[in-house]
Amino acid sequence: MTDEPVRAVARYFDMWNTGDTTVAEQILHPDWVDHAHPEVTGPAGVRQSVQAIRAARPGLRFQLTSVLGDEKLVAAVGSVGQPQGDSPGQLVWLVRFTDGLMAEMWTYHQR
């Protein structure tokens, strides 16, 4: 077993926090889909979304508190919000991997 999928998920959220999208092709499957945002597909779509969201909300930050999984499925727990803003509560992201790359993500909101 390898911890590469866990690292890939951490790198994905780091990409959103830093705006450095150079890792998109390294971690995202060409058929990537985020079921919370099905209009954003593939690494190119994610790169465009990161740039647009960071331009509109530059202080938005993802905070991961736990990440665990295996080669096929990773679960991450954390939150997203502005530095001095209210957190919307805990979020859980489930990420399915195909061929070692992030292929699908589902987001669940916990209050």
Side-chain angles (χ1 to χ4, degrees):
M1 183 159 80
T2 174
D3 59 346
E4 280 302 315
V6 169
R7 278 188 279 214
V9 170
R11 290 175 72 194
Y12 174 82
F13 287 106
D14 201 38
M15 175 176 61
W16 283 90
N17 288 338
T18 66
D20 180 3
T21 60
T22 58
V23 301
E25 279 78 10
Q26 297 169 21
I27 61 173
L28 298 173
H29 194 275
D31 296 328
W32 164 259
V33 64
D34 177 345
H35 291 280
H37 303 281
E39 71 281 4
V40 178
T41 59
V46 172
R47 279 195 316 275
Q48 291 173 350
S49 290
V50 168
Q51 293 167 355
I53 296 298
R54 288 190 50 80
R57 299 179 68 191
L60 187 70
R61 293 291 177 267
F62 289 85
Q63 177 68 41
L64 296 180
T65 55
S66 298
V67 183
L68 59 98
D70 60 23
E71 290 85 11
K72 294 184 180 184
L73 187 65
V74 171
V77 178
S79 61
V80 62
Q82 299 289 113
Q84 276 93 28
D86 289 332
S87 173
Q90 261 194 337
L91 296 169
V92 175
W93 296 277
L94 295 179
V95 182
R96 184 181 65 80
F97 281 75
T98 298
D99 301 326
L101 298 170
M102 297 172 64
E104 290 184 274
M105 182 164 68
W106 295 265
T107 302
Y108 300 92
H109 185 243
Q110 295 179 330
R111 295 214 181 245

